[in-house]
Amino acid sequence: MGPGKRGLLTAALTVICAVTVLSAPGTAFATPGPSRTPTATPTPTATPAPGKDLEEVRAKLDKLYHDAAVATDAYNAAEEKAEKQSAEIVALAKKIVEGRRKLEKLKDQAGAAARDQYRTGGLSDTARFLLGDDPGRFLDGAGRVLQGQRAAKNLMTDKARTQQELQQYADDASARWKELEANRKAKDAAKKKIEKQIDAAEKLQSRLEKKEKERLAELERQAAAQAQTAWLDTGVLKDVHGKASAQGEKAVKYATRQLGKPYVWGAEGPDSFDCSGLTSQAWAAAGHPVPRTSQEQWKQLKRVDVKDMRPGDLVIYFDDASHVGMYIGDGAIIHAPRPGRTVTIAGAGSMPILGVVRPDA
């Protein structure tokens, strides 16, 4: 590698290291010392191998895109919660409107009873009954009095209960609004982190020359192939003979039709996808909705051994469950890899597997 190329790589690594350090939590920075007169740069004692520089770039890119994937999961989770909370607020608003109408009706009924009492000289049905001088109407009147008493009591009870319900609905709506605002802030924070990580990765790659980019892509392919080979060499597929369920076949067909579509963080089709957007939409198309994020898919869906997996199952990757792909058989998955890539087929063992989950268990 010539001095010009090495200079570009060094500059790129400097930029990405700065971004990585700045984004790390709890990083402390020393107070800058006084400026010094620059001295001659010493001649390096050893020249690093070209491949080593690109391997460092590849490692930095992997970390940036991984961090972006984690932030994307946080964004998607906040988005999903916000949608749910918005729906709950709408439902509560409808209950409040209905409750107010009911309360107004009860107030009208109570007002009518009060006006009737005024017209009768302020005497209640009970008083007028007891003061009556017609013994023959006693039994008939007794029933009407009891009915009137029950109706008045029920009216007041309904009114009090409706007022309590309205207050509860209002309190619930207020709580949902606070949660919604908190999730909006979480979503905005995740969005900023995603954009920061992706921007840093794109800047790093933009500083590479064409041949370096080609070599970097080759290193990525080699790393994936080596990981897949190592995974297959364990004999893991020897006992994997599972046949897809009817819903699993539908999910795989849906995912297959998305091949070539671009990865876009937060997207769930129809023109672009992120990793969990692809898997969640595939299973929704199969008539079996699953959680939106890879982390929730890992938490909520039934886990199965790798030896028992079948097409349609979801393979979860990395210790933090930040990536997911759909197993399609023969040791392969369909997944939406990362920004700048498209939905593609890859080796199921080309990334560190956390586990396998089955949506339609």
Side-chain angles (χ1 to χ4, degrees):
M1 180 185 298
K5 296 179 181 178
R6 190 172 299 110
L8 288 172
L9 275 174
T10 302
L13 285 171
T14 301
V15 170
I16 200 60
C17 286
V19 172
T20 303
V21 170
L22 287 171
S23 63
T27 304
F29 297 90
T31 304
S35 60
R36 298 180 180 178
T37 303
T39 57
T41 304
T43 304
T45 56
T47 302
K52 182 178 180 182
D53 284 348
L54 284 174
E55 278 292 352
E56 291 178 0
V57 172
R58 187 178 71 82
K60 292 293 182 182
L61 286 173
D62 284 349
K63 184 179 187 310
L64 282 169
Y65 283 124
H66 174 267
D67 290 347
V70 174
T72 297
D73 236 28
Y75 176 91
N76 290 335
E79 175 76 9
E80 188 175 35
K81 288 179 181 177
E83 289 178 358
K84 180 180 178 182
Q85 287 155 358
S86 295
E88 289 173 346
I89 289 171
V90 170
L92 286 169
K94 290 180 180 178
K95 288 182 178 179
I96 289 173
V97 170
E98 293 171 358
R100 284 176 176 169
R101 288 175 180 168
K102 181 179 178 181
L103 186 59
E104 288 301 319
K105 184 178 179 181
L106 291 172
K107 286 180 178 179
D108 288 344
Q109 291 176 355
R115 288 191 297 272
D116 183 63
Q117 187 176 10
Y118 177 78
R119 285 194 299 270
T120 59
L123 292 176
S124 66
D125 288 341
T126 303
R128 284 188 284 112
F129 165 68
L130 292 174
L131 293 174
D133 57 0
D134 186 354
R137 299 174 59 189
F138 180 87
L139 294 177
D140 291 339
R144 286 196 296 272
V145 168
L146 289 174
Q147 289 177 357
Q149 289 176 334
R150 290 194 192 102
K153 183 177 180 181
N154 290 339
L155 178 63
M156 299 309 295
T157 300
D158 284 349
K159 185 179 176 182
R161 182 171 58 247
T162 301
Q163 288 174 324
Q164 290 176 350
E165 289 175 349
L166 278 172
Q167 186 59 52
Q168 186 61 53
Y169 294 152
D171 292 344
D172 289 348
S174 177
R176 294 296 180 276
W177 273 114
K178 290 179 181 178
E179 291 174 359
L180 182 61
E181 183 61 24
N183 274 310
R184 282 174 176 165
K185 291 179 180 178
K187 190 170 71 170
D188 288 343
K191 179 181 179 181
K192 289 177 181 177
K193 184 171 183 180
I194 295 165
E195 292 172 341
K196 180 179 179 180
Q197 302 297 323
I198 293 176
D199 182 61
E202 290 175 346
K203 285 181 179 178
L204 174 58
Q205 293 177 95
S206 70
R207 292 175 179 268
L208 300 177
E209 295 183 359
K210 182 179 179 181
K211 289 184 178 179
E212 291 171 330
K213 290 179 181 178
E214 292 173 352
R215 176 59 181 155
L216 180 62
E218 179 60 28
L219 288 174
E220 291 175 351
R221 285 192 292 269
Q222 288 178 2
Q226 289 173 1
Q228 175 73 356
T229 299
W231 183 66
L232 294 175
D233 285 347
T234 64
V236 66
L237 293 185
K238 181 178 64 175
D239 299 320
V240 177
H241 305 294
K243 183 180 178 182
S245 64
Q247 286 184 315
E249 286 184 358
K250 291 179 181 178
V252 170
K253 286 180 181 178
Y254 178 94
T256 303
R257 289 197 298 270
Q258 314 314 315
L259 287 170
K261 292 185 179 180
Y263 176 105
V264 175
W265 62 268
E268 47 187 337
D271 300 321
S272 57
F273 297 86
D274 62 20
C275 66
S276 57
L278 176 65
T279 55
S280 61
Q281 287 301 303
W283 272 99
H288 193 96
V290 299
R292 170 64 177 88
T293 69
S294 58
Q295 292 177 343
E296 288 304 311
Q297 289 170 4
W298 174 243
K299 289 178 183 177
Q300 297 186 34
L301 301 180
K302 182 179 179 180
R303 301 176 187 181
V304 297
D305 290 336
V306 172
K307 65 181 179 63
D308 296 323
M309 68 181 176
R310 65 192 188 193
D313 287 348
L314 305 182
V315 185
I316 310 295
Y317 293 97
F318 304 108
D319 290 342
D320 51 10
S322 57
H323 190 70
V324 60
M326 179 178 291
Y327 186 65
I328 58 174
D330 297 325
I333 60 167
I334 288 179
H335 72 142
R338 63 170 175 78
R341 301 292 172 79
T342 61
V343 176
T344 188
I345 295 175
S350 59
M351 296 169 284
I353 295 176
L354 177 62
V356 179
V357 293
R358 177 164 297 161
D360 61 339

